Amino acid sequence: MPTVLITGANRGLGLEFARQYAADGWSVIATGRQSSSELGELGVTFETLDMGDFSAIVGLGQRISELDLLIANAGTRGPETVTGADDAREWSEAFTVNAIAPFLLAQSVLPAIRQSGGKLIAISSTRGSLSDNSPGGSVAYRSSKSALNSAWRRLAIENPDVICALFHPGWVKTGMGGPSAPIDPETSVRSLRRLIGALEPQHSGRFFNPQGKQLPW
Ligand SMILES: NC(=O)c1ccc[n+]([C@@H]2O[C@H](COP(=O)([O-])OP(=O)(O)OC[C@H]3O[C@@H](n4cnc5c(N)ncnc54)[C@H](OP(=O)(O)O)[C@@H]3O)[C@@H](O)[C@H]2O)c1
């Protein structure tokens, strides 16, 4: 039975990843700052993990000896505008959660992923694309997802024996996507899981949308 580690699994896309992989018979390690009743009902292994706690991230990675897939999903929007010191602090927190923490977790589970011939996946956003930044706004979110893309590409370049890829999930009805989003989490995650399952070494270091189209950096 393959094992998947999913961050931010208490709600939104992370919860849906946990639900679908568990239904397919995977062993699921779900992480979050706290669990939720929906996640509790899945009967998966829950690990408390705040993505701002670097020591806890490294500690979790060291405890995991068998792993086939990492879905670094947890994310936060951060402040919409940055005009003062408090906004800047929030931007820094968003940078930690969206970019530094996923990279550190990936590094920490790399030995287990390498041993299984597994995959390192990060959930990014088209908002992190430097060449597709036209609507403006959300400097914290955009810059932190750009940094995630850059860090994941480095992972792929430095570890050619491991498949590392980034996905934009679409505009999805979650806490972050809001109620007007056109896609439900089930549809988005079903597409992403199919694409993740089909990834080959030549796809490593790339950034895709939920239709499998490669996105520009
Ligand atoms: N929904 C969309 O339209 C959309 C579009 C593009 C990209 N994305 C990306 O998709 C991913 C999942 O987002 P979502 O739509 O499912 O959003 P969501 O419903 O807001 O869920 C965000 C998840 O991240 C977790 N998280 C935030 N800060 C954390 C921290 N410091 N430590 C641990 N967990 C933390 C949240 O946990 P708490 O419950 O503890 O806050 C929650 O589980 C994110 O990376 C997001 O950037 C989403």
Side-chain angles (χ1 to χ4, degrees):
M1 182 194 318
T3 301
V4 58
L5 171 63
I6 304 162
T7 66
N10 56 316
R11 61 188 172 99
L13 289 164
L15 175 63
E16 186 59 29
F17 272 115
R19 185 178 284 131
Q20 292 192 20
Y21 278 113
D24 269 7
W26 284 58
S27 171
V28 175
I29 305 169
T31 79
R33 286 188 281 200
Q34 71 280 311
S35 189
S36 60
S37 51
E38 293 98 324
L39 186 60
E41 281 166 17
L42 300 181
V44 301
T45 302
F46 178 74
E47 293 274 353
T48 303
L49 186 67
D50 187 324
M51 296 297 274
D53 186 341
F54 297 143
S55 301
I57 289 171
V58 173
L60 176 65
Q62 285 171 346
R63 287 204 307 283
I64 293 175
S65 53
E66 288 177 22
L67 190 64
D68 299 275
L69 179 61
L70 167 66
I71 309 272
N73 162 80
T76 186
R77 277 194 74 87
E80 279 309 305
T81 55
V82 177
T83 55
D86 287 344
D87 300 331
R89 267 187 286 279
E90 273 185 57
W91 181 1
S92 160
E93 283 161 21
F95 221 90
T96 291
V97 172
N98 291 350
I100 302 172
F103 183 80
L104 183 62
L105 182 59
Q107 286 288 359
S108 305
V109 299
L110 195 51
I113 288 282
R114 176 169 283 127
Q115 202 175 4
S116 69
K119 297 171 185 172
L120 297 169
I121 304 301
I123 306 302
S124 185
S125 170
T126 47
R127 302 224 168 184
S129 172
L130 296 182
S131 54
D132 181 17
N133 218 330
S134 43
S138 313
V139 64
Y141 188 65
R142 288 179 187 282
S143 62
S144 58
K145 289 296 191 182
S146 302
L148 172 67
N149 291 358
S150 173
W152 227 255
R153 188 148 165 75
R154 281 246 52 83
L155 264 184
I157 290 166
E158 288 170 5
N159 302 283
D161 55 333
V162 174
I163 295 174
C164 311
L166 297 132
F167 287 90
H168 168 65
W171 181 21
V172 190
K173 230 182 248 78
T174 62
M176 186 181 291
S180 309
I183 309 171
D184 59 60
E186 186 188 347
T187 306
S188 168
V189 168
R190 210 161 284 292
S191 302
L192 297 181
R193 287 181 60 238
R194 185 177 49 75
L195 294 167
I196 291 166
L199 286 173
E200 299 285 347
Q202 67 267 25
H203 302 125
S204 196
R206 299 191 190 178
F207 178 26
F208 300 99
N209 75 6
Q211 287 73 46
K213 181 172 169 264
Q214 194 176 338
L215 293 167
W217 300 117

